[in-house]
Amino acid sequence: MARSIARQAAMQLLYERLSGGDADDESLKLVYEQLSADQAAEGDVKEPSKSERTYISEVLSGVEEHRQELDDSIESHSTGSWTLERVPHVDLSILRLAAYEMLHRDDVPDNVAISEALELSNRYSEPKSTRYINGVLGAMEREKNEDK
């Protein structure tokens, strides 16, 4: 399976944790089965590969380890009166994933992290959320590039 499916699985597991779930191996198996069924045209894989499991594990632990930094960055780049408490859980999961990739993963270019976040938002969230997510991540990218 492609990295984008592993990214979808990671986002869903981040959402599960944010909503009070465990996001354990059983959850990962169920998520992959569903994503595989959705992507049947791409093959019949029902289990993540070793590299996909590694990526998902690194994302879950990295987001947890850097959560305060990620949340501070997301909140500081939000416009208007948006606080993290107002952000729907699915959107916050997408933002944390993309922010983690942008700030802590050298193997994911910023434009890919943003593009994939927008794809996740288009699939799992509301249209207005996509604009919000794009704005936050775009501001983060601009600041990151200014600091170089």
Side-chain angles (χ1 to χ4, degrees), residues 51-105:
S51 67
E52 290 165 339
R53 278 187 179 274
T54 298
Y55 166 80
I56 292 165
S57 176
E58 289 172 357
V59 166
L60 294 175
S61 62
V63 167
E64 185 62 34
E65 178 183 345
H66 300 286
R67 187 174 58 200
Q68 189 61 55
E69 172 199 7
L70 300 174
D71 287 355
D72 289 346
S73 185
I74 291 165
E75 198 159 36
S76 72
H77 292 94
S78 293
T79 57
S81 61
W82 281 93
T83 62
L84 291 184
E85 292 77 27
R86 289 190 61 206
V87 177
H89 283 183
V90 69
D91 297 347
L92 185 54
S93 299
I94 293 167
L95 283 164
R96 284 176 174 168
L97 170 60
Y100 170 72
E101 287 184 329
M102 291 171 68
L103 299 174
H104 295 285
R105 300 243 357 159

Side-chain angles (χ1 to χ4, degrees), residues 3 9 25 65 69 76 118 130:
R3 169 69 68 92
D25 283 341
E65 178 183 345
E69 172 199 7
S76 72
L118 297 177
T130 301

Side-chain angles (χ1 to χ4, degrees), residues 11-12 14-16 18-19 70-71 74 78 82-99 116-134 136-137 140:
M11 186 280 296
Q12 289 185 20
L14 287 170
Y15 174 80
E16 182 178 331
L18 186 58
S19 299
L70 300 174
D71 287 355
I74 291 165
S78 293
W82 281 93
T83 62
L84 291 184
E85 292 77 27
R86 289 190 61 206
V87 177
H89 283 183
V90 69
D91 297 347
L92 185 54
S93 299
I94 293 167
L95 283 164
R96 284 176 174 168
L97 170 60
E116 291 287 327
L118 297 177
E119 288 294 321
L120 289 169
S121 179
N122 283 329
R123 181 171 181 167
Y124 295 102
S125 198
E126 300 292 323
K128 66 180 180 177
S129 293
T130 301
R131 290 190 306 273
Y132 170 72
I133 289 169
N134 188 44
V136 170
L137 296 177
M140 288 176 64

